């Protein structure tokens, strides 16, 4: 067995001779981006071996010079001795502060939550039961359920065998005074916890958004509805692939992989919970309920179920999972907490969107509303209290900084705002954390693209205007715009936007906008009929609406009719945590929604082609942008 | 570690130096009677150490001569080397043939079952589902439940997480053709099993009576209602104490004891099931449902729950356990089978009696019926379809051969029928298995007592008539009747009935009869009003009604109004296995029944004292017996 040490964190693991270095990293719990699933093609698992012997396959991703210095791709490297490996900057970019900022904070929901009655699924009930006597000699459990029936007004009180044992011994040893946690089911109530005497601590719940990239959690006091703490972290499944498809591929390879990838999301969540417990002093046993929303792949992997949605007809295993018990999963902080997974409408219209429709109150809105959640996939829903129609379009990774030469996530050093002087073509930039720039994140890219368009640096088709007199535009066949010169950049390299990047962005925005117009056409309405536009997703937080409209990603709608929801998945989870009736509504939302499969819609491709132009080939949809471009 | 070998079976176990020999026997799965719970007082764990070293405490139960030969009480013996231990005859008296005969066969229930519709809780459903397509792309589980809803006419189809995984992978790998086992719950249906393709094997169930002494099981084809096999065996909890009280004491000592005693009943049941599967070729996975009835202590110990009913106010932990899953318990033959434990009315009116009332059809009888189940406890129920009242009286172990000098269970060699010549006072006896006599079982004792009474050998108060000229009556202060001379007996000792034995029997019969009259008085009716007498229990099978009436154990009722039910607990279990509606009826029976706590009834003691006479102080209740005694 050899020791493998990952620097700078110093994480260690023991492996057999010949073990794959990427696998060793996974075993050690080291996270880094590996979007190609270990095939050696993405080059993102590049490491520097500082000490020790290894063999590595040849790769175009590692130059001969780098190879000599000891650089290698972990996924095609085998370990032949004790070894010390240094992770590159990118791999360590787990910038907690930035994720918190990017993903967690949603619109303060007081405004939206004003109408939510606090009526959670769990409650604590303290009982002082009359001790048994010869006159009143019903069994312990009958004595208990008799009292609970009276309090809860239900005849259906259920206790599992372990709870029967615990309730009886607790009641007998505590003088028939005990506190019970009960969970409302469809049929009645289930007793999930017993404490001796009067447990006065409030009962808590967790609202969780399991995103492909980030997991966000809130610890909520279920008695007053207050969020006591919140945390988020990268989903450590990241090490098995960046996007859902590569994770599905990874999970489907064998049973061990499936267990591993399930364990990763559990361990990320466990970590968040431990931190929140530490911060607040809340005890883990006081968390009795969890509402969790995520896309279909995320919820399946959380349950340890192979999603099975990779290929046509994109059918998931389950769209409305049963309420689970923490003990069924490897969630170390609780055995008894119940876990509700928000139901999904379709494979690519997950519980995160259902939650968003609940959290934003769209499901009972009288206004005709357009709901857009843009990430790797763009999910779009149109409707209100009467009807709902939705679709999902694959935008690709561009909006998250993927498939972009200097693209990166919205972590410290990512360029997130850009202004370009239309006279000098010089940029002004702002980065996340206002530190020296390392790359460009999604909102920075949209900003840059809109500014480049308005300044005339690029055409409506995303091509560079080669006639401009500026050193920022360079290259022969592969043209690029230098956003940051090497001397200003963190890693001493120019940060550029290439024509290829622009093309990727154009395709991404065209896919989303084509989704919107296809949906509108399907119900025979126009953008003018839309009363309200709701923008959800972490992405939405940074997005400058006018820039997104300028490039034609979002429709031109009066700003007073636009609302940012932020993390709708988390918001809806909190709403369903506080009000059990909202869980029934969530199921109704899924039942009510018509899902349009775009790959089956013959008009989608036409809409897509029309949208491969900024803002759009049909300029009448963007009168203000047209005016600006003209001016 | 030392090897301990138990002869003649040759069972072996390894133990530490100084281990207790009774504990070693338990570890080895060797069963023997130990009614004092290991305190050294009952002397029933006497063994012969053939080889090896041991230390043993001094006991009055072992004579100096026996001690020299190597006899010792296992419970007070510590092991100091490899050792070989011979079990005495009594300890090995696990006479399977006799138990089968004694406990299993009930009245052929066709007569009673004629009106039972076969509508079990479980059923198998074969489905050929339409494969998913882009037009019909609901999730796998929605696809499944949609089809099941149609077949079952219910909207509430539940699958647990493991079943979701299994159903999905089975459907996908078997071309969407699979067979499902579904279990009817109060709310709807639960899918409990999945098989690829069309599983044509019928679905089976088990009807089980868990008795304190014996466990009986039937393997029932749930499609045609036929019993495919049946088996019974001593409850191996026997090694922890003979009666319920000593087992409760044993189980309450510590957690290990509770787990051990639970494991014992499971292993007995597992053994019976394996034998039935072997006999019939049925596969264990085709047993999908179990209905189990037993007294409150037995069902609690089966679940691993401390019964807690030893002391006033005799309150059990639960009277209507939830449906369990075999996997929750250590039942090695199945994970998915559901286990229904018949609800009980009171601590000393268990699920075995509820089952008997269901199996005998008493619960919907128009006739005023008296139901009597006599064992260590006598449970008595009076009523019919309109109302029910019941009580339980402690008869003590006499009817099972306990607390009787030469008493024994109804195993091979037990005297079970007796006639005494009124002229010569010589007996004629018949034993179980018609082998040479070893002792007297309950029915033999009742026979003997009645015959001794009729022959004038004893008085109505159970005292010997010392004036008779027969060598069979002997002794000075402690008088006894020699039923079998030493030369005829299996172990070369006289088999006798002592005045003490007669006294114990008299008290036992008085307790039962006082229970009957107290119950009748409570509702203000007399024996003449009773339309039907049902006699249940293994005991009832051998009982000669007229003898039981002669001593005043049972009331004098016209024989055509008496029915033997046999093992009512097993019969009722089968009925509830075949008809799920009967399980609801069982709960109703418990709710409807008034339970009379005799220890709280001031008139019971008077009734008891009046019954300490054969047949009774009030001879008007026994006109025929009176006439015989006069004649």
């Amino acid at each position: 067995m050899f020791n493998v040490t990952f620097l700078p964190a110093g994480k260690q693991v023991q492996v057999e001779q010949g073990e794959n270095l990427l696998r060793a990293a996974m075993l050690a719990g080291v996270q880094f981006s590996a979007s190609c699933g270990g095939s050696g093609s993405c080059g993102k698992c590049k490491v520097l071996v500082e000490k020790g012997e290894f063999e590595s396959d040849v790769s175009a991703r590692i130059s001969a010079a780098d190879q000599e210095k000891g650089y290698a791709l972990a996924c095609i490297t085998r370990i032949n001795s004790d070894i010390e490996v240094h992770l590159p900057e990118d791999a360590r970019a787990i910038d907690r502060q930035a994720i918190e900022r990017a993903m967690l904070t949603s619109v303060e929901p007081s405004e939206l939550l004003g109408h939510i009655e606090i009526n959670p699924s769990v409650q604590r009930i303290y009982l002082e039961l009359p001790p048994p006597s010869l006159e009143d000699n019903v069994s312990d459990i009958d004595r208990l359920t008799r009292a609970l029936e009276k309090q809860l007004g239900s005849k259906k009180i259920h206790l599992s065998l372990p709870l029967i044992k615990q309730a009886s011994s607790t009641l007998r040893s505590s003088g028939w005074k005990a506190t019970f946690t009960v969970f409302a089911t469809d049929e009645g109530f289930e007793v999930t916890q017993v404490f001796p005497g009067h447990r006065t601590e409030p009962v808590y719940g967790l609202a969780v958004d399991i995103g492909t990239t980030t997991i966000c959690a809130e610890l909520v006091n279920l008695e007053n509805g207050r969020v006591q703490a919140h945390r988020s972290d990268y989903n450590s499944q990241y090490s098995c692939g960046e996007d859902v498809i590569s994770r599905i591929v990874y999970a489907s390879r064998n049973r061990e992989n499936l267990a591993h990838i399930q364990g990763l999301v559990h361990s990320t969540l466990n970590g968040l919970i431990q931190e929140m417990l530490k911060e607040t002093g809340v005890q883990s046993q006081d968390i009795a309920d969890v509402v969790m929303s995520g896309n279909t792949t995320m919820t399946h992997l959380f349950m340890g179920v192979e999603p099975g949605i990779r290929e046509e007809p994109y059918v998931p295993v389950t769209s409305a999972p049963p309420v689970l018990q923490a003990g069924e999963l490897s969630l170390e902080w609780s055995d008894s907490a119940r876990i509700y997974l928000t139901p999904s409408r379709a494979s690519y219209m997950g519980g995160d969107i259902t939650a968003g429709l609940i959290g934003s109150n769209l499901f009972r809105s009288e206004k005709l509303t357009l709901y857009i959640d843009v990430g790797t996939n763009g999910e779009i829903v149109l409707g209100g209290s009467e009807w709902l129609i939705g679709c999902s379009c694959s935008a690709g990774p561009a909006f998250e900084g993927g498939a972009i030469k200097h693209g990166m996530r919205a972590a410290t050093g990512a360029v997130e705002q850009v202004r370009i002087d239309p006279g000098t073509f010089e940029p002004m930039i702002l980065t996340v954390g206002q530190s020296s720039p390392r790359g460009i994140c999604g909102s920075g890219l949209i900003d840059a693209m809109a500014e480049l368009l308005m300044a005339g640096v690029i055409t409506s088709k995303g091509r560079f205007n080669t006639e401009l007199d500026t050193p920022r535009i360079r290259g022969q066949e592969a043209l690029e715009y230098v956003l940051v010169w090497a001397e200003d950049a963190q890693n001493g390299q120019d940060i550029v936007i290439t024509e290829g990047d622009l093309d990727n962005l154009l395709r991404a925005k065209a896919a989303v906008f084509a989704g919107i117009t296809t949906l509108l056409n399907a119900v025979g309405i126009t953008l003018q009929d839309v009363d309200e536009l709701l923008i959800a997703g972490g992405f939405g937080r940074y997005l400058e609406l006018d820039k997104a409209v300028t490039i034609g990603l979002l429709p031109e709608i009066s700003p007073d009719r636009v609302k940012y929801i932020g993390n709708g998945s988390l918001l809806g989870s909190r709403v369903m945590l506080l009000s059990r009736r909202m869980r029934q509504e969530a199921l109704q939302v899924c039942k009510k929604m018509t899902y349009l499969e775009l790959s089956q819609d013959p008009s989608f491709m036409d809409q897509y082609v029309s949208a491969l132009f900024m803002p759009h080939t049909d300029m009448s949809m963007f009168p203000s942008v047209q005016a600006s471009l003209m001016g």
Side-chain angles (χ1 to χ4, degrees), chain A:
Chain A
M1 301 291 278
F2 295 136
N3 281 316
V4 186
T5 310
F6 292 93
L7 301 170
K11 285 193 180 173
Q12 282 202 329
V13 69
Q14 283 213 328
V15 299
E16 302 275 359
Q17 153 113 34
E19 179 60 282
N20 180 290
L21 184 54
L22 185 61
R23 182 167 296 278
M26 285 184 182
L27 288 172
V30 170
Q31 294 165 24
F32 52 112
S33 164
S35 58
C36 69
S39 65
S41 64
C42 76
K44 291 194 178 169
C45 62
K46 184 173 156 186
V47 295
L48 175 62
V49 181
E50 304 212 326
K51 274 186 203 161
E53 287 164 38
F54 65 99
E55 288 171 276
S56 202
D57 297 343
V58 176
S59 163
R61 297 283 174 182
I62 304 280
S63 66
D66 273 359
Q67 204 179 324
E68 211 144 298
K69 286 183 203 152
Y71 281 99
L73 296 187
C75 69
I76 51 172
T77 297
R78 290 165 300 284
I79 297 159
N80 287 334
S81 74
D82 284 355
I83 199 167
E84 278 185 27
V85 176
H86 213 100
L87 304 180
E89 283 299 305
D90 278 358
R92 292 190 283 126
I94 296 175
D95 183 328
R96 290 291 300 274
Q97 206 192 341
I99 331 169
E100 297 267 338
R101 182 159 167 264
M103 292 303 299
L104 187 77
T105 324
S106 56
V107 168
E108 183 39 51
S110 54
E111 163 200 2
L112 294 162
L113 295 184
H115 45 75
I116 301 290
E117 27 137 38
I118 296 185
N119 183 18
S121 285
V122 290
Q123 54 185 302
R124 284 263 168 86
I125 296 179
Y126 169 61
L127 293 175
E128 297 187 1
L129 299 178
S133 64
L134 282 166
E135 291 69 42
D136 176 18
N137 59 359
V138 299
S139 74
D140 297 354
I141 299 306
D142 285 347
R143 184 171 308 275
L144 168 60
T145 52
R146 188 175 67 182
L148 288 175
E149 281 169 9
K150 211 169 153 190
Q151 289 246 353
L152 296 165
S154 165
K155 281 278 172 200
K156 295 270 185 189
I157 312 282
H158 182 259
L159 285 91
S160 67
L161 182 55
L163 259 292
I164 286 174
K165 293 180 188 180
Q166 217 192 319
S168 164
S169 67
T170 304
L171 280 169
R172 286 181 183 233
S173 64
S174 68
W176 304 92
K177 293 173 190 175
T179 307
F180 299 86
T181 307
V182 293
F183 181 85
T185 64
D186 285 351
E187 288 82 28
F189 293 89
E190 166 117 34
V191 177
T192 64
Q193 288 183 313
V194 190
F195 300 94
H198 191 177
R199 188 166 183 90
T200 50
E201 281 82 356
V203 63
Y204 291 86
L206 291 173
V208 181
D209 163 46
I210 8 176
T212 309
T213 308
T214 314
I215 299 182
C216 305
E218 291 176 337
L219 177 66
V220 184
N221 177 324
L222 295 182
E223 289 175 12
N224 60 22
R226 283 205 200 110
V227 176
Q228 301 293 116
H230 53 78
R231 278 290 188 292
S232 58
D233 196 355
Y234 282 127
N235 183 339
S236 57
Q237 289 179 339
Y238 193 58
S239 59
C240 303
E242 248 178 286
D243 53 46
V244 295
I245 295 298
S246 39
R247 291 191 204 165
I248 294 171
V249 171
Y250 177 86
S252 66
R253 245 175 242 150
N254 55 50
R255 207 178 274 212
E256 289 69 37
N257 276 16
L258 180 60
H260 177 71
I261 202 166
Q262 182 190 21
L264 287 173
V265 61
H266 291 182
S267 79
T268 301
L269 182 62
N270 286 340
L272 296 179
I273 294 169
Q274 293 309 339
E275 286 181 27
M276 290 191 289
L277 293 177
K278 206 170 157 193
E279 177 188 327
T280 56
V282 170
Q283 289 180 272
S284 59
Q285 56 191 344
D286 291 320
I287 302 178
D289 194 14
V290 180
V291 173
M292 194 174 278
S293 309
N295 65 47
T296 307
T297 302
M298 288 306 109
T299 51
H300 277 59
L301 293 180
F302 184 84
M303 293 188 286
V305 176
E306 238 195 275
I309 60 171
R310 189 153 57 108
E311 284 162 5
E312 260 195 23
Y314 316 114
V315 173
V317 170
T318 175
S319 51
V323 172
L324 302 177
Q325 206 176 322
E328 288 183 79
L329 307 164
S330 60
L331 298 175
E332 62 205 22
W333 51 275
S334 174
D335 262 348
S336 64
R338 293 314 195 255
I339 299 175
Y340 170 89
L341 288 153
T342 307
S344 60
R345 171 57 188 87
S347 282
Y348 292 98
M349 179 67 81
D352 49 349
I353 304 304
T354 311
L357 301 178
I358 294 292
S360 67
N361 217 25
L362 187 155
F363 77 104
R364 48 184 175 187
S365 172
E366 298 301 313
K367 296 179 187 165
L368 178 57
T369 308
L370 185 62
Y371 182 97
I372 302 180
D373 188 329
V374 178
T376 307
N377 277 298
E379 289 100 346
I380 303 157
V381 178
L382 182 67
S385 62
E386 296 284 310
W387 52 267
L388 292 165
I389 183 167
C391 68
S392 173
C393 44
S394 175
F399 293 139
E400 293 188 334
I404 298 293
K405 187 163 185 180
H406 290 122
M408 66 177 287
R409 299 188 178 282
T412 305
V415 174
E416 61 167 340
Q417 277 187 283
V418 178
R419 290 292 176 274
I420 292 173
D421 186 307
T424 64
F425 313 114
E426 285 299 299
M428 180 172 81
I429 60 163
L430 203 59
T431 62
V432 176
Q434 305 200 358
S435 66
S436 63
R438 282 201 296 134
I440 318 168
C441 69
S443 59
L445 284 163
I446 292 168
D447 252 28
M449 196 166 181
E451 289 284 317
L452 290 169
L453 178 70
M454 296 306 284
V457 178
I458 59 172
T459 69
S460 288
K461 289 188 166 179
R463 300 282 149 191
F464 282 108
N465 181 351
T466 49
E467 288 165 16
L468 299 182
D469 178 24
T470 165
R472 297 245 171 204
I473 299 176
R474 69 183 184 192
Q476 299 300 324
E477 277 162 43
L479 291 170
E480 58 190 28
Y481 173 86
V482 184
L483 189 65
V484 181
W485 294 113
E487 62 257 37
D488 299 322
Q490 209 178 109
N491 34 13
Q493 281 187 318
D494 292 343
I495 297 173
V496 304
I497 296 171
T498 70
E499 222 165 58
D501 294 342
L502 294 172
D503 200 45
N504 281 339
L505 271 170
L506 193 63
R507 288 172 189 277
K509 83 95 186 169
V512 173
F513 197 80
I516 296 170
T517 50
T518 306
L519 214 54
L520 291 167
N521 290 347
V523 288
I525 64 169
T526 68
L527 278 170
Q528 281 70 49
D529 302 319
V530 173
D531 297 319
E532 190 163 58
L533 173 64
L534 298 180
I535 299 173
F539 180 79
R541 294 292 301 146
Y542 286 109
L543 194 69
E544 288 186 273
L545 181 64
D546 57 339
K547 307 297 177 193
V549 172
T550 299
I551 66 165
L553 166 61
L554 294 181
E556 199 178 303
I557 282 183
S558 160
D560 59 351
R561 290 194 285 147
V562 179
K563 242 189 216 162
Y564 293 102
I565 295 302
N567 190 333
S569 171
L570 187 63
L571 178 64
S573 298
R574 194 202 304 176
V575 168
M576 287 181 276
L577 193 59
L578 290 174
S579 165
R580 66 185 193 235
R581 205 168 65 75
M582 289 299 135
R583 303 187 192 185
Q584 291 151 16
E585 296 289 355
L587 208 55
Q588 289 312 313
V589 160
C590 293
K591 286 193 181 151
K592 197 159 64 180
M593 193 193 302
T594 304
Y595 181 73
L596 205 62
E597 178 58 57
L598 292 182
S599 67
Q600 290 305 100
D601 192 301
S603 72
F604 176 71
M605 195 42 77
D606 295 341
Q607 296 295 331
Y608 175 70
V609 172
S610 304
L612 283 173
F613 195 89
M614 288 183 288
H616 199 270
T617 32
D618 177 5
M619 292 293 263
S620 72
M621 287 197 280
F622 291 86
S624 313
V625 181
Q626 190 177 23
S628 300
L629 283 170
M630 295 300 170

